[in-house]
Amino acid sequence: MKISVLGTGNMGKALVKQAAAYAGGQVFWGTRNPAEAAELAKTFQLDGIVTGSYEEALQTDIIIPAFPASAMIEWAAAHKEKIKNKIVVDISNPFNDDFSGFTTAWGESSAERLQSLLPESKVVGAFKNTFFKVFENPVFEDQKSDVLVTGDDEEAVRQFIERFEPLPFRFLHAGRLANNRTIERFTLLELELAVRYGTYPYISLQLFGIKEAVPAN
Ligand SMILES: NC(=O)c1ccc[n+]([C@@H]2O[C@H](COP(=O)([O-])OP(=O)(O)OC[C@H]3O[C@@H](n4cnc5c(N)ncnc54)[C@H](OP(=O)(O)O)[C@@H]3O)[C@@H](O)[C@H]2O)c1
């Protein structure tokens, strides 16, 4: 399955580097400024990366919009038809501008909001708890960073995990999209903890007690 990452911000760069190094095959990097992205790909010495417009990036099977949550809403509304049946990976955390709370109400998540905007696409939540710096070194004290993968389409969750498994993270099936109500809110607590303990922006999850990343049921 072909992958595209959209956006050249902190997460876009981090995801593209990891995908280029481990996912195999061609990775498409979409941006508002393809010439700059091509320069970045050269600087980072990324092989197998093709840069282009956001429009061109819609042709792949798995699309990761690494946009601010608000920009993602506009993007989804504009491209709904073209991304029907595709896997859209939601990495967004709907924090407000001063990081004191959320733009979503209690009982609502950014991932569910995206799925309702894209009813004919398969939204998979992932990487929400993984701050961008962690991508440079996802293994801390011999333990891989956990990535909680969610989705209402089981097959899409499976396909995402299969495609991303070569990356040096531990991917855990974390259930339905509604679990992002918790996952997204927990990310803000992680941020606060990272600032308190002086590790920001190097912070992610490592859950204790799960030996194998194979669900028992
Ligand atoms: N930062 C983290 O550690 C972290 C961790 C987990 C999840 N996330 C989530 O990942 C997403 C991206 O975060 P980020 O930190 O990578 O953000 P960022 O550094 O601000 O980058 C966002 C990128 O989105 C693209 N974009 C497209 N439309 C845009 C618009 N209208 N306004 C601004 N940017 C637009 C831009 O790329 P082009 O200029 O190339 O088009 C921009 O560089 C967010 O939803 C965030 O909640 C972030």
Side-chain angles (χ1 to χ4, degrees), residues 6-12 30-33 54 65-69 71-72 74 91-95 127-133 187 200-201:
L6 279 60
T8 56
N10 288 323
M11 287 297 277
T31 171
R32 293 176 290 193
N33 194 333
Y54 283 144
F67 298 155
M72 207 173 58
E74 287 166 37
I91 65 167
S92 70
N93 289 300
F95 302 151
F127 293 115
K128 288 178 185 261
N129 302 117
T130 320
F131 281 76
F132 72 94
K133 199 76 182 163
T187 313
Y200 181 82

Side-chain angles (χ1 to χ4, degrees), residues 73-149:
I73 294 173
E74 287 166 37
W75 171 82
H79 299 293
K80 187 172 160 170
E81 286 302 312
K82 291 182 199 135
I83 54 181
K84 265 185 185 171
N85 303 318
K86 292 180 186 265
I87 296 178
V88 178
V89 181
D90 174 40
I91 65 167
S92 70
N93 289 300
F95 302 151
N96 64 12
D97 288 341
D98 65 3
F99 298 90
S100 62
F102 299 85
T103 59
T104 43
W106 277 107
E108 193 188 8
S109 67
S110 185
E112 291 167 283
R113 185 169 61 185
L114 185 63
Q115 182 66 84
S116 66
L117 285 168
L118 299 173
E120 294 183 72
S121 304
K122 297 168 239 176
V123 172
V124 168
F127 293 115
K128 288 178 185 261
N129 302 117
T130 320
F131 281 76
F132 72 94
K133 199 76 182 163
V134 174
F135 287 76
E136 290 172 17
N137 185 9
V139 180
F140 180 69
E141 303 210 326
D142 294 331
Q143 202 180 328
K144 286 178 181 171
S145 161
D146 283 332
V147 175
L148 301 180
V149 185

Side-chain angles (χ1 to χ4, degrees), residues 144-214:
K144 286 178 181 171
S145 161
D146 283 332
V147 175
L148 301 180
V149 185
T150 52
D152 293 342
D153 185 307
E154 278 296 318
E155 179 64 5
V157 170
R158 193 194 58 73
Q159 288 173 321
F160 171 83
I161 293 179
E162 193 176 293
R163 194 68 183 81
F164 281 77
E165 217 149 38
L167 273 66
F169 294 87
R170 182 173 68 162
F171 292 92
L172 298 176
H173 187 325
R176 296 181 65 79
L177 283 182
N179 285 342
N180 288 291
R181 299 170 193 180
T182 308
I183 292 169
E184 292 168 10
R185 284 174 188 270
F186 186 76
T187 313
L188 190 56
L189 179 59
E190 270 182 74
L191 192 155
E192 186 179 326
L193 287 166
V195 171
R196 176 164 300 133
Y197 287 94
T199 75
Y200 181 82
Y202 188 74
I203 183 94
S204 190
L205 278 185
Q206 286 181 329
L207 288 174
F208 180 87
I210 300 172
K211 206 167 177 186
E212 300 283 342
V214 180

Side-chain angles (χ1 to χ4, degrees), residues 11-22 44 46 49 135-136:
M11 287 297 277
K13 286 191 199 104
L15 283 160
V16 154
K17 285 181 188 171
Q18 282 285 338
Y22 298 101
F44 298 150
L46 303 178
I49 295 287
F135 287 76
E136 290 172 17

